[in-house]
Amino acid sequence: MSREAPLSIAERDFILDALREGVRLDGREPDQLRPLNVSFGDEYGHVKVQLGKTCIVVRISAEVTKPRDDRPFDGIFTIAMELTAMGSPAWENGRPGELETYVTHVLDRVIRHSNALDTESLCVVKGVSCWSIRADAHVVDYDGNLIDAACIGIMAGLQHFRRPDAVVRDGQVVVYSPEERVPVPLNITHKPLSITFHTFDEGKRVIIDATRKEEQASEGDVVIGVNSAGDICYMSKYAGDPVDAVVFVSKSSTAIDKVKEISSIIDKALQADLTKRAKSGQIEESRAENDR
């Protein structure tokens, strides 16, 4: 059971009255994101996302395993999120709640089901061996908008990650260390991100990137998944009061603009990390080829 303190009636009314005046508690516009920072660790696929006070760390990992019987030509891609007491005192370690299940489901739909990662490229030997890619998201601090922050972290991690190179020799899969061969980037087919909208005042007020208090005061949420090309690949309303569909047809353009804005931040962070690694001699992709 969640131990999170409920929002008081006074707090709820204050947030709603402020929105009616076109004001948010932190001074943002309704369609304005909190400050976003994306940074990478020394290990490939290790990402830290800071969205306002919400902080998430994502780690991408890979191992050679057996493909699923019903998809012998495909590799495996898994997204996992665990909400622990580190992120919020309302969460209990080892006891998955409704929020964890919901967030994981949406991330799976936006990223995995939209085929953001080309799983066929992960196949090593048909029906025998393949790469299994796993994205683990850990919430360090929670102040609302878990879905968008985690989606940013996972997509940035997939683009940053490099798996070990591998070949099949005499029927056996040989995996090379980074010292033996330059690691291989993943094949990303497109780059979807999610934008979460929260509604207030019978759908008359709509905001993005809600803080935790704003989430508690809202009537419901809608998640729109958009890729960097502007294609809408996911839309869902999980719970809450009904909202006129026309409202979110109009908000789709906002989602497209925000995804482009976030994608630009991710691209700049990736380029900065690439430059940093090149200067320190950690990578040679820009000037060397694998010795095959």
Side-chain angles (χ1 to χ4, degrees):
M1 180 179 294
S2 173
R3 300 193 299 270
E4 186 173 21
L7 203 63
S8 69
I9 295 177
E11 285 179 304
R12 188 183 303 274
D13 290 344
F14 185 76
I15 291 172
L16 183 55
D17 289 341
L19 288 174
R20 286 170 179 159
E21 297 295 327
V23 178
R24 296 175 71 171
L25 299 188
D26 53 10
R28 286 183 291 148
E29 297 293 326
D31 293 342
Q32 184 179 354
L33 294 168
R34 290 174 288 179
L36 171 62
N37 182 65
V38 178
S39 58
F40 300 97
D42 294 335
E43 181 184 352
Y44 281 122
H46 191 274
V47 190
K48 179 181 178 182
V49 175
Q50 187 80 43
L51 182 60
K53 293 182 180 179
T54 295
C55 182
I56 293 181
V57 173
V58 174
R59 181 177 181 271
I60 310 295
S61 58
E63 65 174 353
V64 177
T65 186
K66 185 179 183 298
R68 296 189 175 96
D69 292 336
D70 59 337
R71 302 188 70 90
F73 289 99
D74 281 9
I76 298 172
F77 176 36
T78 307
I79 296 174
M81 170 178 274
E82 184 178 6
L83 305 185
T84 66
M86 176 187 293
S88 170
W91 302 335
E92 297 183 38
N93 296 341
R95 297 188 65 179
E98 183 179 351
L99 179 62
E100 179 179 321
T101 303
Y102 169 55
V103 173
T104 304
H105 172 76
V106 174
L107 292 172
D108 197 60
R109 290 286 174 176
V110 172
I111 300 174
R112 190 174 70 86
H113 280 256
S114 70
N115 298 317
L117 176 61
D118 178 15
T119 53
E120 287 189 4
S121 66
L122 301 176
C123 180
V124 181
V125 179
K126 173 195 170 184
V128 177
S129 59
C130 68
W131 284 101
S132 174
I133 306 297
R134 180 182 173 94
D136 288 285
H138 305 276
V139 182
V140 178
D141 199 1
Y142 174 44
D143 186 32
N145 204 6
L146 276 186
I147 293 174
D148 295 357
C151 195
I152 292 168
I154 293 171
M155 285 309 304
L158 291 174
Q159 295 173 70
H160 184 256
F161 183 68
R162 303 290 187 272
R163 65 165 177 81
D165 195 13
V167 298
V168 179
R169 184 174 297 157
D170 299 327
Q172 299 294 320
V173 178
V174 179
V175 178
Y176 292 95
S177 68
E179 292 75 24
E180 294 174 310
R181 285 196 179 182
V182 177
V184 181
L186 299 176
N187 187 11
I188 308 297
T189 60
H190 70 132
K191 303 170 185 177
L193 294 171
S194 63
I195 300 295
T196 302
F197 296 86
H198 281 82
T199 62
F200 303 80
D201 204 10
E202 298 181 348
K204 297 182 180 69
R205 317 290 171 184
V206 183
I207 64 172
I208 66 169
D209 188 23
T211 63
R212 183 56 190 143
K213 286 187 180 296
E214 288 174 332
E215 287 181 345
Q216 289 178 298
S218 72
E219 298 170 346
D221 67 327
V222 170
V223 182
I224 300 178
V226 183
N227 63 23
S228 54
D231 301 320
I232 296 177
C233 52
Y234 178 82
M235 182 177 288
S236 171
K237 187 178 190 311
Y238 176 68
D241 295 346
V243 180
D244 191 339
V246 176
V247 173
F248 289 98
V249 170
S250 64
K251 287 299 178 182
S252 297
S253 60
T254 300
I256 292 171
D257 290 341
K258 292 305 171 182
V259 165
K260 290 180 179 177
E261 178 183 331
I262 295 170
S263 296
S264 177
I265 293 174
I266 294 174
D267 290 342
K268 288 178 181 177
L270 286 166
Q271 186 58 47
D273 182 78
L274 183 68
T275 302
K276 175 184 174 183
R277 290 174 183 269
K279 287 181 178 179
S280 62
Q282 295 183 36
I283 61 170
E284 298 182 352
E285 287 95 333
S286 61
R287 62 182 183 274
E289 295 182 352
N290 287 336
D291 181 16
R292 301 185 187 279

